[in-house]
Amino acid sequence: MATVDLEVRGAGVFGLSVAWACARRGARVRVVDPGGVGAGASGGIVGALAPHVPEQWNPKKAFQLESLLLAGGWWQAVEAASGLSPGYGRTGRLQPLVAGGEALAMARAENAATLWQGRAVWEVVEATTGFAPLTPTGKLIRDTLSARLHPAHACAALAAAIRAHGGQIVPTAESPHKGPVVWATGWQGLKALTRQHSRMVGAGIKGQAVLLDFDARDQPQLFVDGLHVIPHADGTTAIGSTTEREFDDPTGTDAQCDALLAAARAHVPALAEARELRRWAGVRPRARTRAPMLGAHPFRTGHFVANGGFKIGFGMAPLCAETLADLILDGRDAIPDAFRPEASL
């Protein structure tokens, strides 16, 4: 490829998704990342695409809903172009119904019936046996909007899809790109923005997770006491994750993984004997507003930012990518004000 129309800095889910959205519209793209594909937090193992609760509706929740509804066809297109599975499945989610929580759960069910456009449900159901969390009330909250994918597999599929459309993914660029550049450089990118500004723009939040040899691939994901339990399409199950604002080793695991494993086995009896396969840790980028950061770069004319996915990055990635592609390629700006970089400045 002699020339490129667009350069993307960062081969995590946001960078790869933007590159894919542009490449399949015919743009010549180059992704630059010295660490390679999914080298940061996007190369993880959890992959919970879970919605915000259907209440106190706002533009961020509406955008997330649209992205989650878009995700099935979007990831199907990635798989078709790449020949690789991202592990996507809209398998739903179960949560324990806590004592005294039924009225709130039912109110949210009524909200979901309207806000979720009849395309997914939030409901209270009787507890089931097998792959389900213990519940003090004998009832569970079930939603059919939640989905899952395998983060590392999804990044590999995106990279293959980009290459199949003629895109490049390289460790370095020989010279600065003179056209549009998208900065999707994760928590280190947020640190760089903070250095260029007079206040904190965002920070990295470390998370640790554990992968188990337990096949529940057709079962819903579980969320209990802040713990995500995600059955993957490849027959493994991930549990995570921690939230660490202070850390010395960005990728090191420690006793907090032991605590995750103990909690998962206590809350989900089916996992009591599941064999541990591996542990993972990475640092997720959290913008000051907690919303994704999307739009024109505040300090580089003609450049753009796609960052701050934090815990909802994979769920937000499809619509974030398409919205930024609209802006870069067509000049159509539909970015929510709360997502614009200046909201975090």
Side-chain angles (χ1 to χ4, degrees):
M1 183 185 294
T3 61
V4 297
D5 301 314
L6 172 72
E7 182 171 280
V8 178
R9 294 299 181 107
V13 66
F14 269 20
L16 292 169
S17 294
V18 171
W20 162 243
C22 292
R24 69 173 178 160
R25 299 188 195 192
R28 297 166 297 181
V29 301
R30 176 171 63 210
V31 181
V32 182
D33 194 319
V37 172
S42 293
I45 58 176
V46 180
L49 312 186
H52 292 292
V53 293
E55 64 184 14
Q56 299 178 342
W57 208 239
N58 57 40
K60 177 182 175 182
K61 291 186 177 184
F63 190 98
Q64 186 201 40
L65 172 65
E66 188 177 348
S67 190
L68 291 174
L69 293 173
L70 174 69
W74 200 86
W75 287 108
Q76 185 178 38
V78 171
E79 183 168 358
S82 67
L84 300 176
S85 172
Y88 176 86
R90 190 170 148 184
T91 50
R93 177 179 60 173
L94 296 174
Q95 308 176 61
L97 179 66
V98 300
E102 187 159 3
L104 177 59
M106 295 306 296
R108 288 172 172 171
E110 292 180 7
N111 288 341
T114 301
L115 296 171
W116 289 0
Q117 308 165 14
R119 301 174 69 182
V121 299
W122 176 293
E123 61 184 352
V124 175
V125 298
E126 296 297 323
T128 59
T129 57
F131 192 75
L134 297 175
T135 172
T137 60
K139 295 182 178 181
L140 298 166
I141 299 168
R142 173 179 175 265
D143 82 75
T144 62
L145 181 56
S146 293
R148 61 100 209 277
L149 52 65
H150 191 298
H153 297 176
C155 286
L158 279 168
I162 291 165
R163 291 185 175 113
H165 275 62
Q168 297 177 336
I169 301 176
V170 296
T172 58
E174 294 180 0
S175 59
H177 181 54
K178 295 181 180 180
V181 177
V182 176
W183 293 84
T185 44
W187 71 288
Q188 296 288 8
L190 294 180
K191 286 177 64 177
L193 287 173
T194 295
R195 288 193 297 269
Q196 292 174 280
H197 192 45
S198 58
R199 61 181 294 180
M200 188 188 76
V201 175
I205 308 294
K206 183 178 176 179
Q208 299 186 46
V210 181
L211 192 66
L212 302 178
D213 183 13
F214 187 86
D215 192 345
R217 68 186 70 193
D218 297 322
Q219 299 300 309
Q221 62 182 272
L222 312 178
F223 184 67
V224 50
D225 197 24
L227 183 75
H228 293 277
V229 181
I230 312 297
H232 284 306
D234 64 358
T236 63
T237 295
I239 57 174
S241 62
T242 63
T243 298
E244 304 168 45
R245 290 173 173 79
E246 302 292 335
F247 52 88
D248 296 320
D249 183 355
T251 59
T253 59
D254 54 34
Q256 294 191 67
C257 282
D258 296 329
L260 285 176
L261 188 55
R265 288 174 169 164
H267 289 302
V268 186
L271 298 177
E273 303 299 326
R275 181 171 62 91
E276 181 180 326
L277 293 174
R278 69 184 182 96
R279 299 181 174 195
W280 176 91
V283 181
R284 300 155 298 185
R286 178 189 179 278
R288 187 180 64 82
T289 62
R290 295 182 65 92
M293 184 183 292
L294 199 67
H297 197 293
F299 308 121
R300 295 175 181 267
T301 302
H303 290 202
F304 302 86
V305 175
N307 208 328
F310 193 33
K311 295 182 179 181
I312 58 174
F314 276 89
M316 290 288 212
L319 189 54
C320 281
E322 297 297 334
T323 302
L324 194 56
D326 286 342
L327 177 60
I328 296 170
L329 300 181
D330 301 326
R332 188 167 66 253
D333 188 347
I335 297 171
D337 287 342
F339 289 20
R340 299 181 189 277
E342 51 264 35
S344 290
L345 298 182

